[in-house]
Amino acid sequence: MITIKKLNKYYDDTKVLNDISIEIKKGQIFAIVGHSGAGKSTLLRCINGLENYKDGSLKVNDKEIKELDKNSLREFRKKIGMIFQHFSLIQRKTVFENVALPMQLWGYKKEEISKKVKDLLSLVGLEEKIDAFPNQLSGGQKQRVAIARALTLDPDILLSDEATSALDPNTTSSILNLLKQINEKLNITIVIVTHEMEVVKQIAQKALLLEHGNVIGFDDTEELFLKPDEKMKNFLGESEVVPNSGINIKLYFPKDNAYQSFITAMARKLDMDFNIVWGKLEEINTHIVGNMVINLKIEDQEKVTKYINEHDIVWEVL
Ligand SMILES: Nc1ncnc2c1ncn2[C@@H]1O[C@H](COP(=O)(O)OP(=O)(O)OP(=O)(O)O)[C@@H](O)[C@H]1O
Ligand SMILES: [Mg+2]
């Protein structure tokens, strides 16, 4: 649905996006992740045609965005909803009026607007706040209003730029669940920009990692977290402190295996003791995955790796 090939973007002489090539499929929840200044918002603005680019190609539904004339661009942008960190609500308008705004601008009939706004407020769970003003709402409620507003013109794509960054963890989680629900119910492709790995883990099926405008990772979310390469580890700030003696083996548990007490079973079966150096289970995109580092005596290595291999567990020696 969104195909980007060899995209370069400059501000004056400064290159802020370097050779980006990605594909975002219809119905996917896709994350663009990176630290401040990585180029995330710039890439998002290129996707919705707010920012132009000279080099490379960016197609949405097979249309090259930079080739659209003014009218086509306006029509194109109608089908893209957007939400932001600070909600961008109009303070002197009620919830109803805020949500109704895009439809009013496009000249929809009053009854149509009224029905749509009510339906959307019910979808985001805010029917009873219809006459409230933004300053009477919590942060999470404001973002729900902004989400309803972004959906009024039945978009194909919803873009989210740090939409949960101003919210506490519980509210973040409930907003992400709402986005997931919208993605499933309305089959809207969602592209989220975030600097929070927790957000990626909770919601994204696929992610792009950006650093100083460069792609440092592009893969299914589970792959990125389950078997991070050096760049990803640096990115996560994860340095592995392991014992100097013996041998350290890191095990990667696939989706359904994580729950099994693999290590206990192995210890029993091989009649051996292991030190568990560290391990963690994580929920990534609704699947539980995990990795664990064990320390063992050098002479036990062969037996152990044989056992691990027999159980199709991915591992490496650290
Ligand atoms: N309009 C502009 N003119 C010149 N430079 C810009 C402009 N917008 C962004 N930049 C520069 O482009 C780079 C990428 O900025 P961008 O806003 O895309 O980063 P970001 O990843 O969204 O960061 P943040 O997480 O802080 O929002 C930065 O170095 C920024 O200073
Ligand atoms: Mg930004």
Side-chain angles (χ1 to χ4, degrees), residues 2-24:
I2 303 175
T3 309
I4 303 178
K5 284 194 185 132
K6 296 186 183 314
L7 182 80
N8 292 303
K9 165 80 187 164
Y10 297 83
Y11 285 119
D12 299 321
D13 290 338
T14 316
K15 201 175 199 180
V16 292
L17 291 175
N18 181 29
D19 200 25
I20 311 284
S21 296
I22 54 166
E23 166 124 29
I24 302 174

PDB file of all heavy atoms in Angstrom, residues 2-24:
ATOM      1  N   ILE A   2       1.913   1.256   0.826  1.00  0.00           N
ATOM      2  CA  ILE A   2       2.878   2.356   0.797  1.00  0.00           C
ATOM      3  C   ILE A   2       4.230   1.760   0.409  1.00  0.00           C
ATOM      4  O   ILE A   2       4.745   0.883   1.109  1.00  0.00           O
ATOM      5  CB  ILE A   2       2.992   3.049   2.178  1.00  0.00           C
ATOM      6  CG1 ILE A   2       1.612   3.548   2.638  1.00  0.00           C
ATOM      7  CG2 ILE A   2       3.997   4.204   2.135  1.00  0.00           C
ATOM      8  CD1 ILE A   2       1.595   4.132   4.042  1.00  0.00           C
ATOM      9  N   THR A   3       4.750   2.201  -0.722  1.00  0.00           N
ATOM     10  CA  THR A   3       6.028   1.655  -1.181  1.00  0.00           C
ATOM     11  C   THR A   3       7.030   2.787  -1.328  1.00  0.00           C
ATOM     12  O   THR A   3       6.822   3.709  -2.113  1.00  0.00           O
ATOM     13  CB  THR A   3       5.857   0.941  -2.538  1.00  0.00           C
ATOM     14  OG1 THR A   3       4.766   0.025  -2.419  1.00  0.00           O
ATOM     15  CG2 THR A   3       7.103   0.178  -2.922  1.00  0.00           C
ATOM     16  N   ILE A   4       8.091   2.705  -0.553  1.00  0.00           N
ATOM     17  CA  ILE A   4       9.105   3.750  -0.580  1.00  0.00           C
ATOM     18  C   ILE A   4      10.403   3.142  -1.107  1.00  0.00           C
ATOM     19  O   ILE A   4      10.834   2.085  -0.623  1.00  0.00           O
ATOM     20  CB  ILE A   4       9.327   4.331   0.840  1.00  0.00           C
ATOM     21  CG1 ILE A   4       7.983   4.858   1.383  1.00  0.00           C
ATOM     22  CG2 ILE A   4      10.382   5.426   0.836  1.00  0.00           C
ATOM     23  CD1 ILE A   4       8.052   5.422   2.786  1.00  0.00           C
ATOM     24  N   LYS A   5      10.970   3.803  -2.123  1.00  0.00           N
ATOM     25  CA  LYS A   5      12.206   3.261  -2.698  1.00  0.00           C
ATOM     26  C   LYS A   5      13.272   4.329  -2.799  1.00  0.00           C
ATOM     27  O   LYS A   5      13.052   5.374  -3.410  1.00  0.00           O
ATOM     28  CB  LYS A   5      11.923   2.696  -4.091  1.00  0.00           C
ATOM     29  CG  LYS A   5      11.223   1.368  -4.055  1.00  0.00           C
ATOM     30  CD  LYS A   5      11.270   0.684  -5.412  1.00  0.00           C
ATOM     31  CE  LYS A   5      10.453  -0.593  -5.361  1.00  0.00           C
ATOM     32  NZ  LYS A   5       9.542  -0.730  -6.485  1.00  0.00           N
ATOM     33  N   LYS A   6      14.387   4.056  -2.184  1.00  0.00           N
ATOM     34  CA  LYS A   6      15.567   4.922  -2.267  1.00  0.00           C
ATOM     35  C   LYS A   6      15.228   6.394  -2.042  1.00  0.00           C
ATOM     36  O   LYS A   6      15.647   7.271  -2.795  1.00  0.00           O
ATOM     37  CB  LYS A   6      16.245   4.752  -3.632  1.00  0.00           C
ATOM     38  CG  LYS A   6      16.802   3.355  -3.850  1.00  0.00           C
ATOM     39  CD  LYS A   6      17.569   3.320  -5.159  1.00  0.00           C
ATOM     40  CE  LYS A   6      18.109   1.975  -5.546  1.00  0.00           C
ATOM     41  NZ  LYS A   6      18.777   1.169  -4.605  1.00  0.00           N
ATOM     42  N   LEU A   7      14.460   6.631  -1.026  1.00  0.00           N
ATOM     43  CA  LEU A   7      14.030   8.001  -0.726  1.00  0.00           C
ATOM     44  C   LEU A   7      15.138   8.770  -0.002  1.00  0.00           C
ATOM     45  O   LEU A   7      15.700   8.297   0.987  1.00  0.00           O
ATOM     46  CB  LEU A   7      12.777   7.964   0.152  1.00  0.00           C
ATOM     47  CG  LEU A   7      12.177   9.315   0.524  1.00  0.00           C
ATOM     48  CD1 LEU A   7      11.337   9.861  -0.622  1.00  0.00           C
ATOM     49  CD2 LEU A   7      11.312   9.190   1.770  1.00  0.00           C
ATOM     50  N   ASN A   8      15.456   9.942  -0.545  1.00  0.00           N
ATOM     51  CA  ASN A   8      16.390  10.857   0.121  1.00  0.00           C
ATOM     52  C   ASN A   8      15.685  12.175   0.330  1.00  0.00           C
ATOM     53  O   ASN A   8      14.960  12.633  -0.540  1.00  0.00           O
ATOM     54  CB  ASN A   8      17.615  11.103  -0.753  1.00  0.00           C
ATOM     55  CG  ASN A   8      18.471   9.862  -0.881  1.00  0.00           C
ATOM     56  OD1 ASN A   8      18.913   9.301   0.107  1.00  0.00           O
ATOM     57  ND2 ASN A   8      18.675   9.413  -2.105  1.00  0.00           N
ATOM     58  N   LYS A   9      15.907  12.768   1.492  1.00  0.00           N
ATOM     59  CA  LYS A   9      15.262  14.050   1.759  1.00  0.00           C
ATOM     60  C   LYS A   9      16.285  15.008   2.351  1.00  0.00           C
ATOM     61  O   LYS A   9      17.035  14.647   3.255  1.00  0.00           O
ATOM     62  CB  LYS A   9      14.092  13.809   2.736  1.00  0.00           C
ATOM     63  CG  LYS A   9      13.540  15.041   3.399  1.00  0.00           C
ATOM     64  CD  LYS A   9      12.597  15.792   2.494  1.00  0.00           C
ATOM     65  CE  LYS A   9      12.194  17.120   3.116  1.00  0.00           C
ATOM     66  NZ  LYS A   9      11.592  18.034   2.168  1.00  0.00           N
ATOM     67  N   TYR A  10      16.308  16.174   1.792  1.00  0.00           N
ATOM     68  CA  TYR A  10      17.255  17.197   2.260  1.00  0.00           C
ATOM     69  C   TYR A  10      16.508  18.398   2.803  1.00  0.00           C
ATOM     70  O   TYR A  10      15.438  18.742   2.301  1.00  0.00           O
ATOM     71  CB  TYR A  10      18.104  17.704   1.092  1.00  0.00           C
ATOM     72  CG  TYR A  10      18.987  16.667   0.452  1.00  0.00           C
ATOM     73  CD1 TYR A  10      18.491  15.798  -0.518  1.00  0.00           C
ATOM     74  CD2 TYR A  10      20.332  16.568   0.801  1.00  0.00           C
ATOM     75  CE1 TYR A  10      19.295  14.847  -1.116  1.00  0.00           C
ATOM     76  CE2 TYR A  10      21.149  15.619   0.198  1.00  0.00           C
ATOM     77  CZ  TYR A  10      20.630  14.769  -0.752  1.00  0.00           C
ATOM     78  OH  TYR A  10      21.430  13.827  -1.340  1.00  0.00           O
ATOM     79  N   TYR A  11      17.050  19.034   3.828  1.00  0.00           N
ATOM     80  CA  TYR A  11      16.669  20.405   4.179  1.00  0.00           C
ATOM     81  C   TYR A  11      17.885  21.251   3.830  1.00  0.00           C
ATOM     82  O   TYR A  11      18.934  21.082   4.443  1.00  0.00           O
ATOM     83  CB  TYR A  11      16.338  20.546   5.670  1.00  0.00           C
ATOM     84  CG  TYR A  11      14.996  19.965   6.042  1.00  0.00           C
ATOM     85  CD1 TYR A  11      14.896  18.923   6.964  1.00  0.00           C
ATOM     86  CD2 TYR A  11      13.813  20.460   5.492  1.00  0.00           C
ATOM     87  CE1 TYR A  11      13.666  18.383   7.317  1.00  0.00           C
ATOM     88  CE2 TYR A  11      12.577  19.930   5.840  1.00  0.00           C
ATOM     89  CZ  TYR A  11      12.522  18.891   6.745  1.00  0.00           C
ATOM     90  OH  TYR A  11      11.302  18.359   7.088  1.00  0.00           O
ATOM     91  N   ASP A  12      17.743  22.097   2.854  1.00  0.00           N
ATOM     92  CA  ASP A  12      18.889  22.802   2.277  1.00  0.00           C
ATOM     93  C   ASP A  12      19.935  21.769   1.874  1.00  0.00           C
ATOM     94  O   ASP A  12      19.648  20.887   1.102  1.00  0.00           O
ATOM     95  CB  ASP A  12      19.453  23.852   3.249  1.00  0.00           C
ATOM     96  CG  ASP A  12      18.388  24.905   3.568  1.00  0.00           C
ATOM     97  OD1 ASP A  12      17.632  25.281   2.639  1.00  0.00           O
ATOM     98  OD2 ASP A  12      18.297  25.327   4.729  1.00  0.00           O
ATOM     99  N   ASP A  13      21.127  21.868   2.480  1.00  0.00           N
ATOM    100  CA  ASP A  13      22.168  20.915   2.093  1.00  0.00           C
ATOM    101  C   ASP A  13      22.256  19.721   3.037  1.00  0.00           C
ATOM    102  O   ASP A  13      23.069  18.823   2.859  1.00  0.00           O
ATOM    103  CB  ASP A  13      23.537  21.622   2.058  1.00  0.00           C
ATOM    104  CG  ASP A  13      23.602  22.593   0.901  1.00  0.00           C
ATOM    105  OD1 ASP A  13      22.816  22.412  -0.055  1.00  0.00           O
ATOM    106  OD2 ASP A  13      24.409  23.544   0.972  1.00  0.00           O
ATOM    107  N   THR A  14      21.417  19.761   4.063  1.00  0.00           N
ATOM    108  CA  THR A  14      21.510  18.687   5.053  1.00  0.00           C
ATOM    109  C   THR A  14      20.599  17.533   4.683  1.00  0.00           C
ATOM    110  O   THR A  14      19.400  17.715   4.464  1.00  0.00           O
ATOM    111  CB  THR A  14      21.080  19.215   6.447  1.00  0.00           C
ATOM    112  OG1 THR A  14      21.695  20.490   6.642  1.00  0.00           O
ATOM    113  CG2 THR A  14      21.472  18.261   7.543  1.00  0.00           C
ATOM    114  N   LYS A  15      21.188  16.355   4.635  1.00  0.00           N
ATOM    115  CA  LYS A  15      20.388  15.167   4.316  1.00  0.00           C
ATOM    116  C   LYS A  15      19.741  14.675   5.599  1.00  0.00           C
ATOM    117  O   LYS A  15      20.439  14.364   6.563  1.00  0.00           O
ATOM    118  CB  LYS A  15      21.322  14.103   3.749  1.00  0.00           C
ATOM    119  CG  LYS A  15      20.622  13.061   2.936  1.00  0.00           C
ATOM    120  CD  LYS A  15      21.651  12.133   2.319  1.00  0.00           C
ATOM    121  CE  LYS A  15      21.076  11.378   1.142  1.00  0.00           C
ATOM    122  NZ  LYS A  15      22.046  10.477   0.539  1.00  0.00           N
ATOM    123  N   VAL A  16      18.424  14.584   5.634  1.00  0.00           N
ATOM    124  CA  VAL A  16      17.767  14.115   6.861  1.00  0.00           C
ATOM    125  C   VAL A  16      17.150  12.730   6.710  1.00  0.00           C
ATOM    126  O   VAL A  16      16.862  12.063   7.704  1.00  0.00           O
ATOM    127  CB  VAL A  16      16.704  15.110   7.389  1.00  0.00           C
ATOM    128  CG1 VAL A  16      17.365  16.380   7.894  1.00  0.00           C
ATOM    129  CG2 VAL A  16      15.664  15.431   6.347  1.00  0.00           C
ATOM    130  N   LEU A  17      16.967  12.281   5.464  1.00  0.00           N
ATOM    131  CA  LEU A  17      16.562  10.894   5.241  1.00  0.00           C
ATOM    132  C   LEU A  17      17.484  10.315   4.182  1.00  0.00           C
ATOM    133  O   LEU A  17      17.659  10.907   3.109  1.00  0.00           O
ATOM    134  CB  LEU A  17      15.106  10.812   4.760  1.00  0.00           C
ATOM    135  CG  LEU A  17      14.029  11.183   5.775  1.00  0.00           C
ATOM    136  CD1 LEU A  17      12.651  11.167   5.115  1.00  0.00           C
ATOM    137  CD2 LEU A  17      14.042  10.254   6.986  1.00  0.00           C
ATOM    138  N   ASN A  18      18.081   9.184   4.478  1.00  0.00           N
ATOM    139  CA  ASN A  18      19.102   8.646   3.603  1.00  0.00           C
ATOM    140  C   ASN A  18      18.710   7.264   3.064  1.00  0.00           C
ATOM    141  O   ASN A  18      18.672   6.293   3.809  1.00  0.00           O
ATOM    142  CB  ASN A  18      20.426   8.560   4.375  1.00  0.00           C
ATOM    143  CG  ASN A  18      21.551   8.019   3.523  1.00  0.00           C
ATOM    144  OD1 ASN A  18      21.547   8.196   2.303  1.00  0.00           O
ATOM    145  ND2 ASN A  18      22.492   7.335   4.148  1.00  0.00           N
ATOM    146  N   ASP A  19      18.354   7.231   1.787  1.00  0.00           N
ATOM    147  CA  ASP A  19      18.168   5.957   1.101  1.00  0.00           C
ATOM    148  C   ASP A  19      17.170   5.025   1.803  1.00  0.00           C
ATOM    149  O   ASP A  19      17.487   3.886   2.119  1.00  0.00           O
ATOM    150  CB  ASP A  19      19.544   5.270   0.983  1.00  0.00           C
ATOM    151  CG  ASP A  19      19.537   4.206  -0.105  1.00  0.00           C
ATOM    152  OD1 ASP A  19      18.712   4.316  -1.034  1.00  0.00           O
ATOM    153  OD2 ASP A  19      20.344   3.265  -0.007  1.00  0.00           O
ATOM    154  N   ILE A  20      15.979   5.545   2.028  1.00  0.00           N
ATOM    155  CA  ILE A  20      14.960   4.743   2.723  1.00  0.00           C
ATOM    156  C   ILE A  20      14.191   3.894   1.715  1.00  0.00           C
ATOM    157  O   ILE A  20      13.642   4.417   0.748  1.00  0.00           O
ATOM    158  CB  ILE A  20      13.931   5.661   3.437  1.00  0.00           C
ATOM    159  CG1 ILE A  20      14.615   6.741   4.275  1.00  0.00           C
ATOM    160  CG2 ILE A  20      12.937   4.833   4.239  1.00  0.00           C
ATOM    161  CD1 ILE A  20      15.194   6.287   5.560  1.00  0.00           C
ATOM    162  N   SER A  21      14.152   2.587   1.943  1.00  0.00           N
ATOM    163  CA  SER A  21      13.335   1.698   1.116  1.00  0.00           C
ATOM    164  C   SER A  21      12.522   0.788   2.028  1.00  0.00           C
ATOM    165  O   SER A  21      13.092  -0.046   2.740  1.00  0.00           O
ATOM    166  CB  SER A  21      14.208   0.824   0.216  1.00  0.00           C
ATOM    167  OG  SER A  21      14.914   1.616  -0.705  1.00  0.00           O
ATOM    168  N   ILE A  22      11.220   0.971   2.023  1.00  0.00           N
ATOM    169  CA  ILE A  22      10.356   0.118   2.854  1.00  0.00           C
ATOM    170  C   ILE A  22       9.032  -0.117   2.152  1.00  0.00           C
ATOM    171  O   ILE A  22       8.667   0.605   1.232  1.00  0.00           O
ATOM    172  CB  ILE A  22      10.044   0.742   4.250  1.00  0.00           C
ATOM    173  CG1 ILE A  22       9.463   2.159   4.105  1.00  0.00           C
ATOM    174  CG2 ILE A  22      11.227   0.730   5.150  1.00  0.00           C
ATOM    175  CD1 ILE A  22       8.845   2.690   5.372  1.00  0.00           C
ATOM    176  N   GLU A  23       8.349  -1.126   2.625  1.00  0.00           N
ATOM    177  CA  GLU A  23       7.006  -1.391   2.115  1.00  0.00           C
ATOM    178  C   GLU A  23       6.083  -1.567   3.317  1.00  0.00           C
ATOM    179  O   GLU A  23       6.389  -2.292   4.245  1.00  0.00           O
ATOM    180  CB  GLU A  23       7.063  -2.663   1.269  1.00  0.00           C
ATOM    181  CG  GLU A  23       5.717  -3.244   0.960  1.00  0.00           C
ATOM    182  CD  GLU A  23       5.497  -3.405  -0.536  1.00  0.00           C
ATOM    183  OE1 GLU A  23       6.495  -3.605  -1.248  1.00  0.00           O
ATOM    184  OE2 GLU A  23       4.329  -3.332  -0.967  1.00  0.00           O
ATOM    185  N   ILE A  24       4.955  -0.862   3.272  1.00  0.00           N
ATOM    186  CA  ILE A  24       3.965  -1.011   4.340  1.00  0.00           C
ATOM    187  C   ILE A  24       2.713  -1.604   3.709  1.00  0.00           C
ATOM    188  O   ILE A  24       2.183  -1.058   2.748  1.00  0.00           O
ATOM    189  CB  ILE A  24       3.655   0.353   5.000  1.00  0.00           C
ATOM    190  CG1 ILE A  24       4.951   0.965   5.560  1.00  0.00           C
ATOM    191  CG2 ILE A  24       2.601   0.196   6.093  1.00  0.00           C
ATOM    192  CD1 ILE A  24       4.801   2.378   6.106  1.00  0.00           C
TER     193      ILE A  24
END
